[in-house]
Amino acid sequence: MKATRGRCLEGLEVYRVGGAVRDARLGWPTVDTDWVVVGATPEEMQRRGFRPVGRDFPVFLHPDTHEEYALARTERKSGHGYTGFEVHASPDVTLEEDLARRDLTINAMAETPEGELVDPYGGLQDLHARQLRHVSPAFIEDPLRVLRTARFLARYARLGFTIAEETRALMVELAASGELDHLVAERVWTETEKALGEADPAVYFRTLHECNALAVLMPELVEEAAALSEALARLARLPGDLPEEECPRWRWARLVEHLDDAQQATLAERLRLPRRYRDLGRQAALTRWLRYRSEPEADDVKAWLDGIDAWRREERVPPLLALLAVDAPALAERLERAWQAVSQIEPRELVAEGFRGGELGRELARRRRAILVQEFSGA
């Protein structure tokens, strides 16, 4: 990879850092490129046309490429949580000092614009050894690193990566320290949503469970060990033909479908879940309830359709039928036949027959139920 050159970079000591360096050596596609600038001041960056965007420390956007350029900095623990740090960014901070504050050695590599590797903490060796290892004991100062390490394992587990034993020990120590309690919900959810989009999302939750962090962050998931194991297995069983961007939401729904309404509500509130994740989790739970009825009857099916608001939100039905087909294909087929039949009943046709007001609603419900009874036993 070559840096974008230009007058704004002349005379600056610039290094490519982080994920772009790591993934290029793994043969993975790199989407974003981050840069560190050593020996510069914020004033100098702005004189060169860079636009400041950092709130907590000096980060700038390149005037042409819009890539991020951060001034080299160090951090010192001063409080709780991932925000409890004092940041020092000045021209005297070296590249090695900047890299030392990073979480894992594979993320603490840098590269000159000409492609020369700078690797003071053995990241390339750990990359070859397929190992996630912390850079320094300062790892324990940031509780978010427990989630990030679990997420990286979810991404790279299929490549044979493991977490170094000494790093696992620090993750366990962090989980026991109370520091996880100081993580804001939005940061926990951001890491979790990213993990749900990784190659092996179950690895993320399993890793958090193994270091006792899941019990702190999402205790509803660990109330029953067997239920957690079954939930993690479900993450690989999704409706077919889902767009890739929808997979995280459906994986979350599969993860929580066994939780009751109160548990789902508590978990959603704790994590500040987006509404679309909350809604699909509840719909998946209702679908699970129908699946586990010994022999669903017409009123059970109507309760499911009412519960997912199928009459007003008919677009919800096909993907939930596809979800049902993953574990109960015969039931899904019966339900699809019934849905196709009941959805053909048009209220305007009943109006044309003379039904009005409450009488219209009652007749509509009666005809729908009559069709459901034809497919499902029940009085």
Side-chain angles (χ1 to χ4, degrees):
M1 293 183 296
K2 299 296 183 183
T4 301
R5 309 306 292 171
R7 294 182 61 186
C8 60
L9 292 178
E10 291 176 1
L12 287 180
E13 187 179 348
V14 176
Y15 300 89
R16 186 182 290 106
V17 294
V21 180
R22 175 197 67 228
D23 287 342
R25 282 160 175 76
L26 281 174
W28 281 49
T30 57
V31 179
D32 299 317
T33 300
D34 296 323
W35 303 85
V36 161
V37 182
V38 178
T41 64
E43 294 75 19
E44 182 179 2
M45 297 294 287
Q46 292 185 69
R47 282 198 304 270
R48 291 170 177 265
F50 286 82
R51 181 166 62 88
V53 293
R55 184 181 64 179
D56 300 320
F57 45 81
V59 179
F60 304 84
L61 295 183
H62 189 285
D64 300 321
T65 67
H66 305 295
E67 293 174 336
E68 287 192 357
Y69 286 71
L71 296 187
R73 66 187 188 272
T74 60
E75 297 172 346
R76 184 174 67 85
K77 185 73 170 174
S78 61
H80 293 293
Y82 80 102
T83 59
F85 292 90
E86 292 180 2
V87 176
H88 172 67
S90 76
D92 62 350
V93 177
T94 67
L95 175 63
E96 288 74 15
E97 288 172 330
D98 180 273
L99 296 176
R101 67 178 175 77
R102 298 173 187 267
D103 49 6
L104 302 171
T105 60
I106 64 170
N107 297 330
M109 297 184 289
E111 190 178 70
T112 67
E114 293 71 36
E116 180 182 351
L117 183 67
V118 181
D119 183 20
Y121 304 105
L124 187 59
Q125 180 179 338
D126 283 337
L127 209 59
H128 290 157
R130 298 298 194 251
Q131 182 168 242
L132 302 179
R133 180 171 60 86
H134 61 284
V135 174
S136 76
F139 179 94
I140 203 170
E141 294 178 352
D142 184 355
L144 192 65
R145 289 174 172 174
V146 173
L147 284 77
R148 280 177 54 81
T149 303
R151 177 166 63 83
F152 279 117
L153 188 61
R155 179 183 301 177
Y156 298 129
R158 292 187 182 183
L159 298 181
F161 274 79
T162 59
I163 299 174
E165 287 303 315
E166 60 270 27
T167 303
R168 277 191 179 273
L170 291 182
M171 293 169 69
V172 171
E173 186 176 341
L174 257 173
S177 70
E179 279 290 313
L180 292 175
D181 293 325
H182 298 281
L183 286 173
V184 297
E186 289 77 9
R187 290 300 296 176
V188 174
W189 177 244
T190 294
E191 290 298 321
T192 300
E193 186 174 28
K194 288 179 180 178
L196 288 165
E198 300 290 5
D200 287 296
V203 171
Y204 171 80
F205 297 98
R206 189 175 298 114
T207 301
L208 293 181
H209 183 48
E210 289 170 352
C211 71
N212 304 318
L214 197 61
V216 178
L217 301 169
M218 307 174 206
E220 293 78 10
L221 295 178
V222 301
E223 290 180 3
E224 297 181 31
L228 175 61
S229 179
E230 292 172 3
L232 295 182
R234 289 196 299 267
L235 295 188
R237 302 201 302 273
L238 301 182
D241 300 323
L242 279 179
E244 185 176 350
E245 63 272 15
E246 281 295 301
C247 288
R249 190 165 67 104
W250 282 88
R251 285 169 179 156
W252 177 259
R254 297 245 64 184
L255 181 72
V256 302
E257 69 176 40
H258 65 288
L259 301 180
D260 61 31
D261 283 349
Q263 291 172 314
Q264 285 213 27
T266 301
L267 182 58
E269 183 61 29
R270 184 185 302 107
L271 297 179
R272 300 290 191 271
L273 282 188
R275 172 61 62 183
R276 63 196 194 98
Y277 278 84
R278 295 187 188 212
D279 289 348
L280 188 57
R282 181 175 175 276
Q283 293 162 31
L286 289 169
T287 305
R288 175 188 176 87
W289 168 81
L290 186 64
R291 185 171 84 239
Y292 278 97
R293 302 292 287 175
S294 58
E295 180 60 40
E297 299 183 349
D299 287 337
D300 297 325
V301 175
K302 183 178 181 301
W304 177 73
L305 292 169
D306 290 342
I308 66 172
D309 200 13
W311 314 116
R312 293 187 305 170
R313 302 291 301 274
E314 62 182 25
E315 74 278 2
R316 291 178 173 177
V317 178
L320 288 170
L321 288 175
L323 175 64
L324 188 63
V326 172
D327 298 308
L331 176 58
E333 185 177 343
R334 291 175 63 196
L335 198 57
E336 183 171 13
R337 285 198 303 268
W339 168 248
Q340 291 297 330
V342 297
S343 61
Q344 289 176 13
I345 302 176
E346 293 286 351
R348 64 174 179 270
E349 294 177 358
L350 274 66
V351 171
E353 293 179 26
F355 292 97
R356 298 289 187 278
E359 191 178 70
L360 171 64
R362 288 189 292 273
E363 179 62 16
L364 182 61
R366 187 192 69 76
R367 294 191 186 187
R368 285 170 173 169
R369 186 177 184 279
I371 290 176
L372 293 178
V373 169
Q374 291 177 7
E375 182 65 45
F376 296 91
S377 61

